[in-house]
Amino acid sequence: MAKPRRTADIAQYASEPFSDQNLATIFRFHPENPHRLITRESGWIEFKQTFSWGNRAEYAKTIAAFANSRGGYFVFGVKDRPRDVVGTDLAKWEATDPTTISEFLNQSLGVEIEWEGHVVEVRGLKVVVLYIREARRKPVIAAQSHKSHLVEGEIYYRYRGRSQRIRYSDLQNLLDEQRRDDQAAWLRVFRQIAKTGIENTALIDLATGHGLGPGSKFYIDQESLSHLKFIREGHFTEKGGAPALRLVGVAAIVPGALIQPERKVLVVRNIHLPEIIEGFLNRTQVENPLQFIKQVCFETSAYLPIYYYANLAGIDTLEKIAKVVEGVNTTSSSRKILLQRLVGQDDLSSPIPGANSREAGKRRREKLQALLNLELSGGDDSETVSSALEAIRCLTLEQIDEGYLNPLLLQWFGKYYTQEGFPDRFRRAIAHLDRLRYRPPE
């Protein structure tokens, strides 16, 4: 079988990655040596002799490269030179929970990576084969640094058996391809509108919750929203009893008198880290506070404001917040850490450094005093701001001046958030403020 280069070939591999035909393409043997492969590492195959969770950062780099390319196979149990099938230690593989692998990949790469793994018997030997699917949206960007293998902010691509930083031309092609896919999706929408007729078409404005079209309005009830999932056509899956709803074609117009009061209309929009942070610092009265809490479960860090949004939703106990988080269908580590925060592992405060502390402690002590004296500003340099963020965690509830701190943090967020080492300090600082000000009593 030819390598999966053409679109049809790629679709075949993606739909049946572990079929006998596809596995036979990977395991092609030398005619005179029953255990030696003639298959080489390529843009879609990587061989490793053993599987070890200690090498997970190295694996994540290759997995990111496959996801940014056309997908590919990661095979454990094949020597490098010569490429003999020797089998792998299944105990190490079976001791590693697939959920743990997914959590690490999601946290390290910032998006959910789709993969499948199976133990395959080849010439009487057991090997582990992972299939990594092509990412739905590209590029996949490293969200964290791990040793020398994974560097935060870098994009990896697959080149003839090697996973390395993407070249400019390939990145440009990747972005152009994503743009073409988006344009094609828009064209499909426009064709459907033309087929249906503009007079019979209405759109949902996710910024207002209203329907746009002749005489049409859509209202989503607060109580119903938690049971509603929007899905892509062709990607319908329902797991663990989680309800999913696909809206097709027609939405009935309900007389306004049946939905009272109008305040129940829920504003639905894309919520990500900037919206969570800015909503908290601006003390925005968001229409869907529970969705902000749920979104934290999908972010790369669980140390984000949650109690402010629980307060907006009228939730007054930690148990009720935990139920909201437990209802989120994800295996991400952020959800796990968030639940740990809710049962007590949530104290982010730092002790005030003593007068004779080391240099870093002295800087933090100085910045704490500067905060109390309202002396810091949005024009401070990054080193000053980093020490100030550490100092914020020394503040007590009585010392918090939201009118001064929140605008200052907003300026620092816009100016320095992308700098190395800054995001974690910033998130923990505002999570500390959120905990002091809005956390329900035990």
Side-chain angles (χ1 to χ4, degrees), residues 417-432:
Y417 193 77
T418 58
Q419 290 195 8
E420 183 177 357
F422 188 95
D424 185 64
R425 289 191 185 95
F426 186 88
R427 291 190 297 255
R428 288 173 183 267
I430 62 174
H432 172 67

Side-chain angles (χ1 to χ4, degrees), residues 50 75 84 88 92 98 115 117 125 150-151 157 171 174 188 190 196 202 217 219 279 294 297 306 342 363 378 382 436:
T50 59
V75 183
D84 291 342
T88 192
K92 290 183 178 180
W115 65 278
L125 298 168
L150 212 60
V151 179
Y157 201 73
L171 177 58
L174 187 150
R188 287 194 295 271
F190 293 145
T196 304
K217 286 188 177 181
Y219 297 93
K294 293 176 182 179
C297 297
I306 54 170
L342 292 168
R363 288 198 301 269
S382 60
L436 290 183

Side-chain angles (χ1 to χ4, degrees), residues 149-207:
H149 298 294
L150 212 60
V151 179
E152 182 180 356
E154 289 196 345
I155 301 170
Y156 302 104
Y157 201 73
R158 193 69 180 167
Y159 294 102
R160 292 188 179 182
R162 295 185 61 189
S163 301
Q164 60 189 58
R165 283 188 300 177
I166 194 168
R167 299 168 186 156
Y168 171 80
S169 59
D170 292 308
L171 177 58
Q172 187 63 59
N173 289 337
L174 187 150
L175 295 174
D176 288 343
E177 182 179 2
Q178 186 65 64
R179 187 159 48 248
R180 287 193 296 270
D181 289 346
D182 290 341
Q183 291 171 347
W186 277 111
L187 285 174
R188 287 194 295 271
V189 172
F190 293 145
R191 290 193 185 103
Q192 184 61 47
I193 292 174
K195 181 178 179 180
T196 304
I198 189 66
E199 69 281 359
N200 299 318
T201 302
L203 303 175
I204 298 177
D205 184 345
L206 296 182

